[in-house]
Amino acid sequence: MELFLQTLIYGLLIGGLYAVIGIGMTLIMGVLGIINLAHGQIMMVGMYLAWVFWTFMGIDPYLSLFLAVPLVFLLGIFLSKYFLQPLIEKESILPENQVLMTVGIGMVLVELARFIFTSDYKSVETSYSSETIALGNISISLPMLIAFVIAIALTLGLFQLLMKTDLGRSIRATAQDKDAATLMGISSKKITILTYGIGSGLVGAAGILLLPMYYLYPDVGPIFTIKAFVITILGGLGSPIGAIAGGIVLGVAETFGATYISMGYRDAVGLVIFLLVLVFLPGGLKQVLKI
Amino acid sequence: MLKVNNINMSYGDLQVLWDVTFEVRKGEIVVLVGANGAGKSSILKTISGLQNVSKGTITFEGENVSNINPSEIIKHGIVHVPEGRKLFNEMTVEENLIMGALHGEAKEKRNETIEECYLLFPRLEERKKQLTGTLSGGEQQMVAVARGLMSKPKILMLDEPSLGLAPVLVQDIFNIIKSINKQGITVLLVEQNVQSTLTFCDRAYVLENGKIVLEGTGQELLNNEHVKTAFLGI
């Protein structure tokens, strides 16, 4: 029973982080209509930035959220403005080619990271990296808990933005009907670029939150791109609330897989769920939860 | 107020508008009538910049607005309520209305205008927290018109507001259009419902195959032999 609870709690905590990764992907999917196959790689950039801030300036990873996330946001703006937008504007180029472009962007980011930081594994060892909080017989890792709380705060902040501000409403409107949004005076170009920036910033933040518990190397990204994709499909395309549900389901399922089957099958569990959802629930959790 | 001069427009290689010229004067209700595919909606799309003209000009209050960026057109006071309503169906009625008032004066007066819209469409106030995707066709059309009004338009362009509505609702929508016009908003209406629109409009243009073939007051056209045989079936 304790093992079960321990696993469940760990799964929920990691699920909160996955939700942030998934929401970024979902926003981009909703507005740009493409799968961002550079998602995890952009996260990797955020992690390296935070690592640099820690190693060379001694800035705590949680503090460097305020420095690194804006930089990742700007990177997203730059990438979408100069690499994705030109493809959107040319009608002769199929939307599929934007997906290919994200693949290319991802590769370049990985190789740049390898060039600058080499392939060595790096980690951020903070004083609290291995601290735990005991709740009876259950122990909760402190960085995991902090990450979860910040992830929740980020998610709430994002929802506040999406639901209560004109900018957020414009993002949702553009995702729902681009032409109608344009007629309302919304520049879909601006919104598209901005959305990619926001999605990048979110996944960058998630990466930084993972940093105190995770090894960092240039190829850390792709598995998170896949996870983000799984979450997006699991939640139902383009639904931020679905992405939260999807993130938590994936987090819990993976942890249970790791505990009760084998650590090595952890990522495989997610992919099995992915296949099952595609076959049996193509609308994702959105379809079940009616959100 | 709105002058369309000799415009041509094509979708790719397919030319759909040929030398179209017409004007809408301040305070009028002008109707474009014609069969499916005559180019009515294309004219509205061209005015709002969703399509580019290959020849000719469109001027609004003396200013050239041809080939304008479609997200700019609303700032000139031209509002296009597109065919098929095009609501944001995963947003509530109130959010849809807010989306109409994102800029300038309209934004400042947003709350007042929402109240005005609720006076005009009491039904929408009852349903303001409901997602528009769950509304009936008539209610959705009300949201579409109200969302247009939220931008404080000088001219409201309505693309087939009666499409898919029950006859009794069609009459309601037309009455609303008349009362909007009485408040001083110029209306450019595209309709297939020829008989009823011709009875209340100030002037009308008849389109066939992308060309304007007839123009006149509503009454003149109702008595026109060609209109009678082609559209009214008498």
Side-chain angles (χ1 to χ4, degrees), chain A:
Chain A
M1 190 59 197
E2 272 155 23
L3 182 65
F4 178 84
L5 274 180
Q6 175 87 53
T7 310
L8 182 67
I9 289 176
Y10 185 80
L12 289 174
L13 294 181
I14 192 89
L17 276 181
Y18 284 176
V20 174
I21 298 176
I23 293 173
M25 181 82 128
T26 295
L27 278 182
I28 292 172
M29 170 86 88
V31 172
L32 282 82
I34 60 162
I35 312 155
N36 178 25
L37 290 177
H39 209 60
Q41 286 84 335
I42 289 172
M43 172 177 148
M44 177 271 299
V45 174
M47 292 169 90
Y48 268 109
L49 284 172
W51 179 82
V52 167
F53 287 133
W54 168 254
T55 312
F56 297 105
M57 297 176 223
I59 301 172
D60 188 273
Y62 297 124
L63 268 182
S64 69
L65 278 175
F66 295 100
L67 296 169
V69 172
L71 289 176
V72 180
F73 169 79
L74 290 178
L75 172 73
I77 299 273
F78 170 79
L79 291 175
S80 61
K81 185 164 184 186
Y82 294 105
F83 293 96
L84 295 173
Q85 194 62 34
L87 300 192
I88 297 173
E89 281 168 11
K90 289 237 174 12
E91 278 173 23
S92 57
I93 299 179
L94 296 171
E96 287 80 353
N97 290 0
Q98 292 173 50
V99 181
L100 295 182
M101 178 58 97
T102 65
V103 175
I105 290 172
M107 286 176 171
V108 171
L109 292 177
V110 170
E111 296 315 319
L112 275 178
R114 209 190 307 285
F115 181 70
I116 301 171
F117 300 103
T118 73
S119 291
D120 295 347
Y121 280 48
K122 308 206 187 305
S123 65
V124 169
E125 288 285 334
T126 54
S127 54
Y128 49 78
S129 275
S130 50
E131 268 189 45
T132 55
I133 298 172
L135 271 179
N137 287 325
I138 297 161
S139 63
I140 300 168
S141 132
L142 181 66
M144 198 78 219
L145 191 64
I146 299 176
F148 182 75
V149 171
I150 298 179
I152 300 270
L154 276 175
T155 310
L156 290 177
L158 181 74
F159 270 85
Q160 197 68 17
L161 173 84
L162 285 178
M163 308 309 280
K164 300 283 181 220
T165 66
D166 280 359
L167 172 65
R169 292 191 193 103
S170 302
I171 291 176
R172 286 157 62 215
T174 309
Q176 289 173 34
D177 193 322
K178 199 171 264 182
D179 274 354
T182 306
L183 289 175
M184 298 298 116
I186 298 166
S187 160
S188 67
K189 180 177 167 179
K190 218 166 92 186
I191 293 294
T192 307
I193 292 173
L194 208 56
T195 304
Y196 199 85
I198 293 174
S200 302
L202 280 172
V203 74
I208 295 166
L209 292 176
L210 275 172
L211 196 55
M213 315 162 248
Y214 228 84
Y215 284 113
L216 173 59
Y217 51 101
D219 289 306
V220 71
I223 187 67
F224 284 98
T225 301
I226 294 173
K227 283 187 210 278
F229 186 42
V230 173
I231 294 164
T232 311
I233 299 286
L234 195 59
L237 298 179
S239 156
I241 297 178
I244 296 177
I248 288 174
V249 169
L250 182 69
V252 171
E254 274 190 6
T255 346
F256 273 95
T259 308
Y260 289 101
I261 305 174
S262 152
M263 192 64 199
Y265 286 116
R266 186 193 154 105
D267 293 333
V269 173
L271 295 176
V272 169
I273 293 184
F274 177 59
L275 290 180
L276 293 178
V277 167
L278 278 185
V279 175
F280 296 109
L281 193 67
L285 293 169
K286 185 164 90 169
Q287 194 181 341
V288 186
L289 302 174
K290 305 263 181 263
I291 40 174

Side-chain angles (χ1 to χ4, degrees), chain B residues 61-75:
Chain B
E61 294 187 319
E63 209 174 330
N64 189 349
V65 293
S66 8
N67 294 346
I68 190 171
N69 185 331
S71 64
E72 295 292 317
I73 196 81
I74 201 167
K75 294 167 196 163

Side-chain angles (χ1 to χ4, degrees), chain B residues 48-223:
Chain B
S48 57
L50 289 173
Q51 295 293 331
N52 285 340
V53 297
S54 48
K55 196 196 99 184
T57 56
I58 301 167
T59 58
F60 184 69
E61 294 187 319
E63 209 174 330
N64 189 349
V65 293
S66 8
N67 294 346
I68 190 171
N69 185 331
S71 64
E72 295 292 317
I73 196 81
I74 201 167
K75 294 167 196 163
H76 289 263
I78 304 179
V79 170
H80 181 178
V81 178
E83 188 176 1
R85 316 190 253 272
K86 295 250 183 195
L87 299 177
F88 305 115
N89 280 334
E90 289 168 34
M91 291 189 180
T92 63
V93 170
E94 190 146 285
E95 284 179 311
N96 266 275
L97 296 187
I98 290 173
M99 294 315 294
L102 290 178
H103 301 286
E105 196 202 344
K107 184 174 178 172
E108 285 159 26
K109 295 195 175 157
R110 186 184 279 173
N111 293 334
E112 285 168 44
T113 328
I114 286 185
E115 292 310 318
E116 285 169 31
C117 284
Y118 287 155
L119 280 181
L120 196 59
F121 304 99
R123 181 73 67 84
L124 297 187
E125 182 159 27
E126 292 164 25
R127 305 198 181 258
K128 63 181 174 187
K129 296 289 173 211
Q130 215 170 313
L131 298 185
T132 53
T134 65
L135 300 180
S136 75
E139 289 162 348
Q140 290 188 351
Q141 189 62 56
M142 291 178 196
V143 179
V145 174
R147 186 178 66 179
L149 290 175
M150 288 298 296
S151 341
K152 297 267 169 206
K154 293 176 187 160
I155 182 168
L156 191 62
M157 307 197 294
L158 300 159
D159 197 344
E160 302 219 23
S162 72
L163 192 73
L165 299 187
V168 53
L169 290 178
V170 171
Q171 210 45 55
D172 283 352
I173 285 283
F174 287 159
N175 287 335
I176 285 163
I177 293 171
K178 277 185 266 185
S179 71
I180 290 170
N181 179 249
K182 287 217 178 72
Q183 292 171 17
I185 297 171
T186 311
V187 176
L188 174 59
L189 184 62
V190 156
E191 261 302 333
Q192 292 204 39
N193 207 323
V194 177
Q195 177 121 37
S196 27
T197 39
L198 286 185
T199 51
F200 72 81
C201 72
D202 293 306
R203 287 181 310 113
Y205 294 86
V206 179
L207 269 161
E208 272 172 25
N209 298 324
K211 296 182 182 109
I212 286 182
V213 291
L214 271 174
E215 60 171 286
T217 64
Q219 212 50 48
E220 280 167 16
L221 290 180
L222 275 175
N223 295 326

